[in-house]
Amino acid sequence: MIFWLLLLLLLYCFASTGSSAVFTQQPTDLVVVAGQPVTLPCSIPGYHGMVLWLRDGMALGVNRDLSGYPRYDIVGDHSKGEYHLLIQRTEIQDDAFFECQAIQAAIRSRPARLTVLVPPDDPVIVGAPVVTLRAGDHLNLTCHADNAKPAVSIIWIRNGLVLSGAMYSKSLLRDGKRESTVSTLYLSPSNIESGQQITCRASNKAAPNGKDATVTINIQHLPIVNLSVEPQPVLEGTLVRFHCAAKANPPVIYYRWAKGGTVIPDVPGDTYEVLVDHSFFTEQVSCEVTNALGNTNISRNVDVYFGPRMAAEPQSLQVDLGSDAVFNCAWTGNPSLTIVWMKRGSGVVLSNKNTLTLKAVKPEDAGKYVCRAVVPRVGAGEKEMSLTVNGPPTISSTQTQQVLYGEKGEIKCFIRSTPPPDRIAWSWKETVLESGTSGRYTVETVSTEEGVISTLTISNVVPADFQTIYNCTAWNSFGSDTEIIRLKEQDTLRLAVIIGVAVGAFLALSILLGTLGAFCCTRFQRNLKGVVSAKNDIRVEIVHKDHNAAQDSEEHASIKQMMIGRGEFQQEPVLKQLEVLQEKEKEFQHIKDPTNGYYSVNTFNEHHATPTMSLAPSQTPDHVVPSPPTGSLTMRKQRVPTGMSFTTIYSTLGAGPHRLYDYSQRLVLAMGSSSMELCEQEFQRSSLSDSSSVLDTQCDSSVSSYSKHDAYAQFDKDSKTSPSSQSSSHNSELSRPLHKRMQTHV
């Protein structure tokens, strides 16, 4: 250093004594961006001495030797005196004053200021590239740009718009030339959204376009859940779908479903389907969604339509006489329901509220009360409660009771009592009996749901018992009640009449059913025989089933012999016709009886057969006046040949006008029989009236012909007006009228 000072001093002295030199070019102030090259001119024509460059007063080198500064170089034509200083890559330390000096000429250039501009380093946003915060928190963004000369300016940009409100600060670095700038941006939760990008831009003269740094905002939040229920409203038993739509940052980890606070297993996803019942109306279905920050739970009810359901079970009441009775009845239902209070057996509405209050109850208030709830168009329900009124006993018994003379008799006393009776006593004359046996009397007490039945039993009813007054008395803690009962002898005749009417009705019903069955059977047999008839009559016979073929033959022969002995039927044709009847009967035996012999039914045609007749002894029931043991005549079971009707039979009995014939006392019509019963009975009567000739003619006419309608009136007239028949009816068993119109054996 001392060397260079001495050298300069020497040159100065030499210059002061040498020729003068002039700068034609000398350095000027320049501004350069760091890293760019720059040339500081220095030209001294005709000068061949030493040239020296100074930086901030410090010599860089002599002439063209700048070996200590590799970035520096002396350029230009030496012969022309050009000593230009070239800085290849400027740096911040090049920011200084430069001066060019000619030593021998003892001249120096004016000082030139080289200003070096330094662009900032790339700006940095704290937390970039993604800034994460929780929903609801404020956003603070910090951006700094360092090592800039001059200091940078920073702006914040979002969606192309510059954000205001940022705060700045600058700091000078150690080199005293460069600076760092820091900017802070504050944003409220309402002014930020997740996914937004915010840019920090730093610029100065060295970087006029600026340098950018960008950050993405990531707002994390708990799951945002929406629970939907479809369809709604629904009836019980309908399939309902719950969908849990969740938006979460960070993403959802899992779903959990619950109903009424109880976890529903095996439903891992965001959808739950179920057949709903009434419980879904009151018990909420919840969906819980969880992510890394926590969980969110949301619940929904289902608008389920269901009929009334009991919410609180009502209780039956037992109150004292004169007290108030309060019933409570709570129902649930959807849609809203209507409550109706009624007493069982009464149509009067007592209340429409959940509570029914009965003021100062009386004995007649006791009974069953119904709380009924109705959900329109959905359903109804009811609940029954009992009201028991504590009070004196109440006796309800028939004041006159009937018993049979000489038999065991019972007198009953029915007692309603709440609380139950403490004591029940029977009293008559001087006797009082509460239980057990005393002589002919026994007291028994039985409890039922309706009350207490006390029975006084008399082992053998005597006439004096019908004159006695019986007193039934019951006591409890609230009082007593008494009933006076008398006995009346039971009317046995009335009972017999009732039984008789019942039996008669049964018999009439049986006959009616038999007639209907015979009609059906007749039509069936007609189809089997293939007979086409213009007019059909139906005859039904109900007979004893114990007649067999042998008896029929014997009876037939007996009647024949008796008739021959009397000379009534001596004609040979008649006997032959009787034999023909037997043959005819055999022809009809092949026809199946649809009643299996219970009723013998057949149809016949008026125009295709010859009527036959059969006579046989009868079997008389106990309740009918018996016929004489021998010689009596009744009708027997016989089939009617086809072709003979009631009209035909009547027409054979004589001429006369058509009229209904009264045969209640004289005609035994065996329904379904083929015999001429009218002739048989007239045979009995004519034996006493010597009218055999008339009968012969009529019966013979009825057998041989069935087209004479006048015989009917004649027979009717003769049978009713014959004096001998009427006068001798008491002297001969043969003339006894038959009272049965039908023989029935069921």
Side-chain angles (χ1 to χ4, degrees), residues 8 85 138 238 254 266 322 399 496 526 549 552 665 715:
L8 290 174
L85 176 61
H138 288 78
T238 303
Y254 63 88
D266 304 326
Q399 294 183 349
R526 182 190 306 169
D552 291 345
Q665 300 300 325
F715 177 83

Side-chain angles (χ1 to χ4, degrees), residues 45-65:
Y47 176 74
H48 300 285
M50 296 177 61
V51 176
L52 181 67
W53 277 95
L54 302 175
R55 187 184 67 183
D56 287 338
M58 299 293 294
L60 299 177
V62 178
N63 293 334
R64 297 182 183 277
D65 183 12

Side-chain angles (χ1 to χ4, degrees), residues 222-359:
L222 294 173
I224 301 173
V225 182
N226 179 37
L227 179 58
S228 62
V229 182
E230 294 181 354
Q232 284 202 97
V234 296
L235 291 173
E236 280 188 294
T238 303
L239 182 66
V240 171
R241 181 175 182 268
F242 297 84
H243 179 65
C244 193
K247 179 181 179 182
N249 184 27
V252 175
I253 299 175
Y254 63 88
Y255 295 85
R256 187 177 70 171
W257 294 88
K259 175 179 174 286
T262 302
V263 176
I264 303 173
D266 304 326
V267 187
D270 61 353
T271 302
Y272 170 50
E273 293 184 344
V274 64
L275 295 175
V276 297
D277 58 16
H278 67 93
S279 63
F280 285 80
F281 182 72
T282 54
E283 298 179 10
Q284 292 186 333
V285 173
S286 63
C287 172
E288 183 180 274
V289 185
T290 302
N291 67 356
L293 298 181
N295 58 70
T296 302
N297 191 300
I298 186 171
S299 301
R300 289 283 301 276
N301 290 98
V302 183
D303 191 11
V304 182
Y305 285 179
F306 61 94
R309 301 188 68 87
M310 184 63 67
E313 192 72 19
Q315 301 296 325
S316 296
L317 299 178
Q318 182 173 346
V319 299
D320 293 341
L321 185 67
S323 301
D324 294 344
V326 180
F327 289 103
N328 291 306
C329 178
W331 294 88
T332 60
N334 187 41
S336 59
L337 50 78
T338 301
I339 294 179
V340 176
W341 283 92
M342 292 186 297
K343 186 177 182 181
R344 182 72 76 187
S346 172
V348 179
V349 176
L350 303 177
S351 175
N352 292 113
K353 300 180 180 179
N354 290 338
T355 301
L356 172 63
T357 302
L358 301 176
K359 297 287 187 179

